[in-house]
Amino acid sequence: MNTKALSNRLEQFGIFMLTFFFSIVAFAQEKTDAPDLNVDVTTTKTTTTEEWFTNPLYWVVGALLLIILVAVIARGNKRD
């Protein structure tokens, strides 16, 4: 068997396997029985506090200050 025929067979096998697994996924999503309409809902109210380091505004301001500081230090003193 030459390489062209072998690669053609592998390509056909790969396409077959893809269609097989896609059909399994499609059938797995079907629901045949009636949905359960008796739903119990419980709600709880929680209060959370936000830490300063979770706010993206602080990260942006800190990054800008760091970039400015590095630029000032890298520039150095250019006295004549």
Side-chain angles (χ1 to χ4, degrees):
M1 204 183 243
N2 60 11
T3 58
K4 180 132 177 110
L6 182 62
S7 66
N8 191 14
R9 284 285 201 189
L10 285 174
E11 183 179 348
Q12 287 178 349
F13 180 72
I15 291 171
F16 170 74
M17 292 305 290
L18 279 175
T19 55
F20 177 72
F21 286 120
F22 284 145
S23 66
I24 288 175
V25 169
F27 283 121
Q29 293 179 358
E30 290 184 6
K31 186 168 181 150
T32 57
D33 57 345
D36 183 19
L37 298 178
N38 297 328
V39 178
D40 296 329
V41 177
T42 58
T43 59
T44 57
K45 183 174 171 101
T46 59
T47 58
T48 59
T49 58
E50 182 177 334
E51 297 293 334
W52 67 270
F53 49 83
T54 60
N55 191 347
L57 182 64
Y58 290 113
W59 286 99
V60 171
V61 170
L64 285 174
L65 289 175
L66 181 66
I67 290 170
I68 292 171
L69 180 66
V70 168
V72 168
I73 292 173
R75 191 176 77 164
N77 287 335
K78 296 190 177 186
R79 295 184 192 170
D80 289 346

